[in-house]
Amino acid sequence: MNYNYHTHTKHCRHAKDTPEEYILNAIDGGIKFMGFSDHAPFAFPDGYQSYFRIPLTEVKDYFAEINSLRKKYKEQIDIKIGFEMEYYKSYFPKMIKNATDFGAEYIILGQHFLKEEYPDGVQSTVKTTDKSLLCEYVDTVVTAVKTGCFSYVAHPDMINYVGDSSFYIKEMRKICIASREENVPLEVNFLGIRTGRNYPNETFWKIVGEEQSPVTYGFDAHDKDAACDMVSLVKAKEITEKYALNYIGKPKIRLLNK
Ligand SMILES: [Zn+2]
Ligand SMILES: [Zn+2]
């Protein structure tokens, strides 16, 4: 594994270390293709401030700093700059325009919230047996995949549905089919492996194998040590073999149009 397009920075307030520290560790670990994908800033209505994104006041710094670093290290590593972003139906046109205007070269989908985050959002990782929430998650991810804007789906199995498993399989299969049809890879998320989260969810990866959706890996680094996480790679490979996943390696980055 010589790529990773899922990297955060201290700008989002729940990650630490400087972009340069991430880059140096990545180079050290043999990473040749790297992408910064911190949580996309967005001005929600009514002045609501999202607590886990780059503040709008720091977006310029985010791009300026990484742009200068990528020049500095261009002989050693190819760096792209983008965002991890949700798909919220009513905000998306503005979110994608903002992202492009800020200078994002690519986005990956990270559907951290259901119901558009504000005003009545529900975190995707909250345990639920509510079938309607699962359906909403699936519909949202499928719609996002079909926009053609996202380079891949980060932690597609983030939803923490603990209800009827045959219903889960039937619904989540729709994400796998959309991924295959649109050729938008699904990410085995190394942060989930490192920290023992509800994902990777093996029930999901079994379906991914059956559908032969394209699969890629992402470190989801929130600190410099995770800028190259070859420890979690062992578990990711195990899942890949166990379910005969269609692992494509480095994802094709869909560059956003200016
Ligand atoms: Zn994060
Ligand atoms: Zn995420």
Side-chain angles (χ1 to χ4, degrees), residues 37-42 52-54 83-86 95 99 107:
S37 55
D38 212 350
H39 299 279
F42 189 64
F52 67 100
R53 303 174 181 282
I54 308 177
F83 294 126
E84 179 179 18
M85 201 165 105
E86 296 73 11
M95 284 181 100
I107 49 172

Side-chain angles (χ1 to χ4, degrees), residues 83-147:
F83 294 126
E84 179 179 18
M85 201 165 105
E86 296 73 11
Y87 178 84
Y88 300 139
K89 190 169 168 236
S90 56
Y91 303 140
F92 186 70
K94 199 169 167 214
M95 284 181 100
I96 186 78
K97 185 181 183 302
N98 281 0
T100 313
D101 290 349
F102 288 139
E105 294 166 297
Y106 76 104
I107 49 172
I108 57 175
L109 179 72
Q111 196 61 34
H112 304 101
F113 273 87
L114 302 168
K115 298 189 192 290
E116 310 204 330
E117 189 172 340
Y118 178 82
D120 56 353
V122 180
Q123 273 200 348
S124 304
T125 48
V126 170
K127 261 189 195 169
T128 183
T129 54
D130 185 339
K131 287 183 175 173
S132 71
L133 282 182
L134 174 64
C135 291
E136 173 156 355
Y137 176 81
V138 168
D139 288 351
T140 305
V141 172
V142 167
T143 306
V145 163
K146 289 185 175 170
T147 63

Side-chain angles (χ1 to χ4, degrees), residues 6 39 84 110 112 155 158 220:
H6 197 164
H39 299 279
E84 179 179 18
H112 304 101
H155 42 63
M158 160 172 260
D220 198 352

Side-chain angles (χ1 to χ4, degrees), residues 8 12 14 39 84 220 222:
H8 295 273
C12 68
H14 62 274
H39 299 279
E84 179 179 18
D220 198 352
H222 283 76

Side-chain angles (χ1 to χ4, degrees), residues 1-6 33 106-109 150-157 179 183-191 193 200 204-205 208-209 212-220 232-233 235-237 239-240 245-253:
M1 186 177 173
N2 67 349
Y3 67 91
N4 172 45
Y5 286 99
H6 197 164
F33 305 92
Y106 76 104
I107 49 172
I108 57 175
L109 179 72
F150 294 94
S151 288
Y152 74 66
V153 184
H155 42 63
D157 46 346
S179 151
N183 197 24
V184 176
L186 305 175
E187 176 207 68
V188 177
N189 185 271
F190 286 27
L191 175 63
I193 296 174
F204 175 72
W205 292 101
V208 177
Q212 287 296 289
S213 322
V215 172
T216 189
Y217 296 161
F219 294 149
D220 198 352
S232 304
L233 178 62
K235 178 69 184 171
K237 279 183 171 169
I239 294 171
T240 302
L245 300 181
N246 173 22
Y247 175 66
I248 60 159
K250 174 173 148 353
K252 184 178 170 289
I253 295 302

